[in-house]
Amino acid sequence: MFASKTEYDRGVNTFSPEGRIFQIEYAIEAIKLGSTSIGVRTPAGVVIAAEKRVPSVLVIPSSMNKILEIDHHIAAVMSGMVADARILVEHARVEAQNHRFTYNEPMSVESCTLATCDLSIQFGESGGKKKTMSRPFGVSLLIGGVDEAGPQLWQTDPSGTYTRYDAQAIGSGAEGARTILTERYHRNMTIEEGENLVVDILKQVMEDKLSKDNVEVAVIRTDGAKLDIYSPDTIQRIIERIAE
Amino acid sequence: MFASKTEYDRGVNTFSPEGRIFQIEYAIEAIKLGSTSIGVRTPAGVVIAAEKRVPSVLVIPSSMNKILEIDHHIAAVMSGMVADARILVEHARVEAQNHRFTYNEPMSVESCTLATCDLSIQFGESGGKKKTMSRPFGVSLLIGGVDEAGPQLWQTDPSGTYTRYDAQAIGSGAEGARTILTERYHRNMTIEEGENLVVDILKQVMEDKLSKDNVEVAVIRTDGAKLDIYSPDTIQRIIERIAE
Amino acid sequence: MFASKTEYDRGVNTFSPEGRIFQIEYAIEAIKLGSTSIGVRTPAGVVIAAEKRVPSVLVIPSSMNKILEIDHHIAAVMSGMVADARILVEHARVEAQNHRFTYNEPMSVESCTLATCDLSIQFGESGGKKKTMSRPFGVSLLIGGVDEAGPQLWQTDPSGTYTRYDAQAIGSGAEGARTILTERYHRNMTIEEGENLVVDILKQVMEDKLSKDNVEVAVIRTDGAKLDIYSPDTIQRIIERIAE
Amino acid sequence: MFASKTEYDRGVNTFSPEGRIFQIEYAIEAIKLGSTSIGVRTPAGVVIAAEKRVPSVLVIPSSMNKILEIDHHIAAVMSGMVADARILVEHARVEAQNHRFTYNEPMSVESCTLATCDLSIQFGESGGKKKTMSRPFGVSLLIGGVDEAGPQLWQTDPSGTYTRYDAQAIGSGAEGARTILTERYHRNMTIEEGENLVVDILKQVMEDKLSKDNVEVAVIRTDGAKLDIYSPDTIQRIIERIAE
Amino acid sequence: MFASKTEYDRGVNTFSPEGRIFQIEYAIEAIKLGSTSIGVRTPAGVVIAAEKRVPSVLVIPSSMNKILEIDHHIAAVMSGMVADARILVEHARVEAQNHRFTYNEPMSVESCTLATCDLSIQFGESGGKKKTMSRPFGVSLLIGGVDEAGPQLWQTDPSGTYTRYDAQAIGSGAEGARTILTERYHRNMTIEEGENLVVDILKQVMEDKLSKDNVEVAVIRTDGAKLDIYSPDTIQRIIERIAE
Amino acid sequence: MFASKTEYDRGVNTFSPEGRIFQIEYAIEAIKLGSTSIGVRTPAGVVIAAEKRVPSVLVIPSSMNKILEIDHHIAAVMSGMVADARILVEHARVEAQNHRFTYNEPMSVESCTLATCDLSIQFGESGGKKKTMSRPFGVSLLIGGVDEAGPQLWQTDPSGTYTRYDAQAIGSGAEGARTILTERYHRNMTIEEGENLVVDILKQVMEDKLSKDNVEVAVIRTDGAKLDIYSPDTIQRIIERIAE
Amino acid sequence: MFASKTEYDRGVNTFSPEGRIFQIEYAIEAIKLGSTSIGVRTPAGVVIAAEKRVPSVLVIPSSMNKILEIDHHIAAVMSGMVADARILVEHARVEAQNHRFTYNEPMSVESCTLATCDLSIQFGESGGKKKTMSRPFGVSLLIGGVDEAGPQLWQTDPSGTYTRYDAQAIGSGAEGARTILTERYHRNMTIEEGENLVVDILKQVMEDKLSKDNVEVAVIRTDGAKLDIYSPDTIQRIIERIAE
């Protein structure tokens, strides 16, 4: 079936005879080429973490943010094409600000997730006044946040689908990470257990040796609903903790 | 005829020599890749139900809605591409709200169905001010609702055609489901019989074992004309009922 | 000549070396895939009728309208792609309403037919402010109506051509139906004779067994100039009449 | 040279290495597939006539107009694609009305011919505000009329060229008809001689047997400058006259 | 090199590896398919002349103008695609009128030539508000006129280049005509000598026998700066003069 | 895999089955064809330098600027396509001026870098009101500057990704240069050590012999935050210094 | 590598796997097909000169301008496609006039050069309000001028790159001309020595025999900053001078 396949897979919006749109499936492959990101929901908050692929000792690791703030109470961690993620997160930020301005309340995490997906599914469209991408976004986001419905973790993908998870991993190490999550995650973890879990998983699935400079960790605590991106020192303490 | 076929099937709006438009037919294949959805009309209301394909135990099943409210008295259940369904349903919601605002009465179920089909058939068009999809929508909807003409069930497909049914199934298990519907459906069912029928059919056609977390059931009762999406507990009671 | 043919037949608006536009010819093939429709003109009114292909016993046949009202005094019956017909008829309805509003008189049947053809021939055009189809309409209409010039029957086709007939059939059974029309139609039929003729022809050319639920019949009487779509019971009486 | 030719002939506006635009040449072929039309200029007026290809005895021949009024003093007769002719003639009608409104005098026949050609040559253009065809018009018109310069006959073709003739024939029987015109036409014919000539030529070049229902004849007389489309009875008298 | 060539020659604006744009070169070939046109500058004025290819004795030769007035003091004679020439000349007329209106003086011949070339080089462009051709113009013009700088003859070609000549020929007979011009033209010819020269050259390079009806001759005299298109009788006198 | 690769690499925005966008990767190759540029951050300021490929002794080397001022406190040095760099830098200049005007303070170096990347990722988009490139920018920038966060060095690439470095090299000699940077760079260099380092590296990786006319050096000092592009004489002194 | 090359070289804005854009490189080839142009800077002014390819003795050589005035103090000489050069120069003229109008001072030669390059690099873009070329400009300009920074000579190319030279040659004879320039040019030439040099080089590299009618020479003197295009007589004196 390979020959047949290649005839349908370059049109961004062409169905194959089996009813598939290959460019969306290929965009999903782009995510698998990306660095690994993980999120877990605990009653006390959402912990998100990501691998950073630091190309050189001369890089300033803090400039390679994988964790991006959307609003005080919502953050995204990404796997896949960096610039695509920035477009989606920038769009979510604007929507979240508009929501605050219009309704004088924080946007819900689900609405914020939906806003990024609405942008995702418009690729390849023309006409109308809004500019759209001419291809699917090659990125998946884990969006963590806290709102009236409590702490939540959502995943988006290039097809514009979004799903809520207790714990999820994306990127090149996702398969291994999900196996560990299934084994070790439980719903009543403390924040500290969550931190330990995500950093320990990254330690196992990353090709490079884990250090305080090549991972990012952040938490949005239920109490206060505020994003806290950990400093390298804090991350170092988690690394030491799990090494014990 | 295969060689000849492949020459016409990539243009979204190209007729083959036999007068067929293959991209619409392929979009219909996309529906067959989707999860199964079922609807039945009874004198006392419309029962709709859908399989949910839960990819992981870490997913929050309630985030994967296959049943979507259009208005208080109308709901849709979908098979096929999730994000495409969202666009159609969002369009129907706006139309339903506009109707309420303009005429101060609920939109009829047929008009609401027609509104989604009007959007479906505009794919591939350019010019004009409204934005349109550059391919057919890869989704079929069962739209259930109650209006002055009583409880009704309609199906839409990617070609923009809509048809009213007493009972209908769509998605990967549609063929098996329709066989059972033809055998067991009758027009004077009670709501409870309708619930039993749709859940029992899903039990038979789903690959995964049926549970309260991987199906959705909803009813729009004739009396009151209001959508009631069942909780997992209510679904559990139906599952137990049919197991007796 | 087949090889040569396939080189010109995918561009919607490309002439072949013999001066043919294949996409229009293929759209005409789409009509031949559709269900059969028939119309006859009598001094007392125009009788139109159509086969309905009911896919399942669970379908509500009345939801599958092949006969569509354009205005009180004009109706269309279609063969081919259902959604395309809806676009053309909706356009004709708007034109007819505009005519009534502007001139305070009903639109003539010929003007109304012309309005649908004007839309048909604009496929593949770009520029300008009006939105147009990017392919020919895959549908043929028989438009029957009564105006100051008396009862009339017109046919449209995908090339935008329209022709007036005393009696005409379109769709998959058109060839057989036309043979019978040529033999049995005469200009001084009564409405009842017309009803008998169109139903009897459908009985002969349809693959499914004729029943009150899988045909539609309507008449626009010269006296009163008002469309009357027959109920299944009325159709049943015609079926019984011709069976005598 | 065939292989080389096919590489240039599908782009509507692509030159071949010999400097030819094949799509215009193929559009001219479309004219040769059409029914035959003839026009002759006499001092007393212009006579135009056309074959009608009546597909069935159930057709109302008068609905298949090949002769179309542009203004009181100008008419066109067409060979080729019917709907294309309607667009050109409709454009010419609007131009003629605008001329009357703006200058309070009838438009000259040459200006009117030029107006249709101006539209013809814009195919394949984009940008600008006016909508244009995406292919050449597959039609040729003979435009007859009477103005201050006396009775005139003009021909247009798909390349936007227009030429004035004493007598000309277009369509499938054009070659045979021109031979007869060259032999029998003279500049001082009477209207009656002109009528006889065009009908007699149609009789010879048409495949179907000539009858009052399958030809159209019209005259624009120098005296009065008013189009007179002949009734079937008048045509019958000409047929009988030439049979004597 | 033929195989390589055909890969670049269909894009209207694509360079070949040697830096050539083939569609412009093919448009120049279109000119060589056209009828022959000639112009000569004399101190007393510019003489222009053209062959007319009269397809039939029934044609009115005066309707096939090859010499077109741009303004009282400027005229163009064309070889190549007739309708393309009309667009260029119509554009030049508008520019010339605008010049008169704005500056209250006649436009110079060079500015007028430049105006047609500005339009020529815009083919294939999109964006902006002005409509442009989607291919090169398949026509060459000889533009003759008289302004403050005296009598002048300019040639334009499809690449938008323009050059001033003492005497020049274009079209199918250009090569032969230029040879004769080089031999017989001198700068101090009288108008009469110019007339004799251009008509004599046409007589030699035309396939049809030269007559007063198949050539056009015009002169713009230095004294008065006014275009004078010769009548057939005047042309007949020149023919007789050169026959002596 | 080569055959497969070539099928996906020409669409500017097409994913390959492995999730890659080849046109971005090829644009990155364009950078490797460019001349070498280097930047190093020291506590006292940022030193940037570039090779100039002088094609002839007749060139005025100062006209071939590789170091471009964005604002008083920010400069970029480029490798790759010169004109593309100019578009990006021009965009950054406007953003920096707007920032000054709106906030009455200098733009931060990171914001300025982000502004160029936002433009980079919009290639291939259409719709909307802003004009975008139809391909990726074939250029990489090293952006050096001083703001409240101190001296900084950032790199951009064609995918719209930006990363902060202590020291970085781009262009044809980048690989060799990075090796030397890794060995010899340390964070507490003086400006002079920085100058020596970048010039010495260029000396080693350039094909042409290093001279004061074929390299550019500039520094943005922490004290004063002002760009200082060195004169050839100053460069000569550095060259002599490292030769000692 | 030839097969591979041809796969990337027709898209105007497509990178090859090596990071090259072939259509720009082919446009540079178009320049090499053009006539030769030369410029030299001397302390007393800039001398520019060009070959003219006169196709016939009947051409008026002065109509084939290769040297084009941009403003009183700036001129361009071109090699390549004539009409493309005209677009660029026309753009530069408007920019120069706008500069004078806005700032009440002459535009600098560098800014003027930059303005033409800004237009050059926009080919193939769409969107936005300004019209752009759909291919690279197939022309190179030598822009000479005098401003506050003294006499200068700049070269532009199709990639939008511009470089300042002491002396430079472009077009078909560029290679030979540059060799001679490298040998004989020195920075303290007088104008007369400059004139002798450029004319002598043209004499050597031109295929046709040099004459006062097939070369153009102009000078912009430092004193006065005013373009002086030499008459054929002045050119004749230079030719005679170098023949001594």
Side-chain angles (χ1 to χ4, degrees), chain G residues 33-45:
Chain G
L33 298 174
S35 53
T36 310
S37 297
I38 307 177
V40 302
R41 193 197 71 93
T42 75

Side-chain angles (χ1 to χ4, degrees), chain F residues 208-229:
Chain F
D208 292 340
K209 183 171 155 39
L210 183 88
S211 79
K212 75 180 198 303
D213 284 332
N214 64 8
V215 296
E216 282 178 79
V217 181
V219 67
I220 309 106
R221 281 174 212 274
T222 309
D223 182 9
K226 198 149 170 15
L227 172 66
D228 178 9
I229 300 180

